[in-house]
Amino acid sequence: MPPKRKRANGLVDGGSPPRNAETPASDSEVTQPAPVTFADHPFRIEYLDSPSSKPKKRRKSKAQDDHTPGQLESDVAAGDKPIAYIIRPGSMWEAMKKYRNFIVGEKTFGVHDFVYINHGSVDEKIIPQNFWIARVLEVRAADPQHVFLRVFWMYWPDDLPGGRLSYHGQNELVASNFMEIVDATTVSDGANVVHWNEEGSAPSGEVSFWRQTFDYVVTKLLPLRRNCICERFRNPDKEIVVCTNPNCGKQLHEECIIDDALRKVYERLATVKVNGNKNGVEVKQTSKASKRKSKHRKSSIDSEPWDGQFEAHLEIQEGEPKTGKIVITDLRDEKPTTWDQEIKCLACHEAIL
């Protein structure tokens, strides 16, 4: 979860309010709000069960119970359900003018843009993982020096409560409904973030992407599409092979195809030498021994029974049509031998590619 934010050293350009918060959300003339005093950004967001729910009262004073009416945010990053919330202090928030755009330095950003948020001293060069990333939901300003953004936070997988999981890609973000208000002076640059629906290859290069949502309210990651016969999620950094059988079309993990091929090769070819000399008799391992090894293999997180004896990898040739094969190497002799095998679907068992 992103920690407490720190104010960046950069300042929004001075000048008239339109210089920093362009394009009013309404074409009708809005009266200039009364001057307000900001104590290092006083705004806080509280979640409700529904917009009509009554928030908890602040009993110390009426001023501390100042909040906006209950509202709904149904941005796509919120997941399947809209989020009900209030903002405190409500009178200060609603007194500010609403805008569609804002300017930091010489760059203009708008509602629904993804932006990098500076949370400390960083180099001038933008390295995505060194910044927080947010999606702008609303822009409000009292004057050019006081521009505020209501945002949804995007999580780097390492910042999730459970940390990075095995299926998270290197450039992957997780969208969340964790909403906060930040000072526009903390924006460093625009972030190139796209949504990936898990069709085809994941975006690469300098593009970050998201496909999963973290429900901040209940502290839960929403599930993804399950793939392959293993019913696990897809890691976008690893090869996925789609069965070409029109009656199947199963998406298969590269590691599952390799694991299946090595298991079958091991069961078919793994041997032991009886007398320890080059003329010794080679005998296949018994099924009982194989089962015993298999049992131990499942309880081990470090090795497979074929490790050090056989290895394999996929070779995929892009083009029309797309072709591929499994390359298997027998490592048991001083001079390893290599051969190719066709790739078969783990679900329908038809040859593919």
Side-chain angles (χ1 to χ4, degrees), residues 266 270 290 293-294 296-298 303-310:
Y266 176 79
S290 298
K293 282 182 173 288
S294 178
H296 289 309
R297 176 182 59 79
K298 290 180 180 180
S303 63
E304 300 286 0
W306 48 80
D307 286 349
Q309 299 187 58
F310 303 96

Side-chain angles (χ1 to χ4, degrees), residues 54-88:
K54 292 184 178 180
K56 294 180 179 180
K57 288 187 176 182
R58 303 291 179 88
R59 297 183 178 181
K60 291 185 178 180
S61 70
K62 185 176 180 180
Q64 288 181 321
D65 199 42
D66 175 22
H67 60 79
T68 62
Q71 302 175 65
L72 277 179
E73 179 56 64
S74 57
D75 187 271
V76 64
D80 296 331
K81 60 179 182 181
I83 298 298
Y85 68 96
I86 60 170
I87 298 175
R88 299 180 188 269

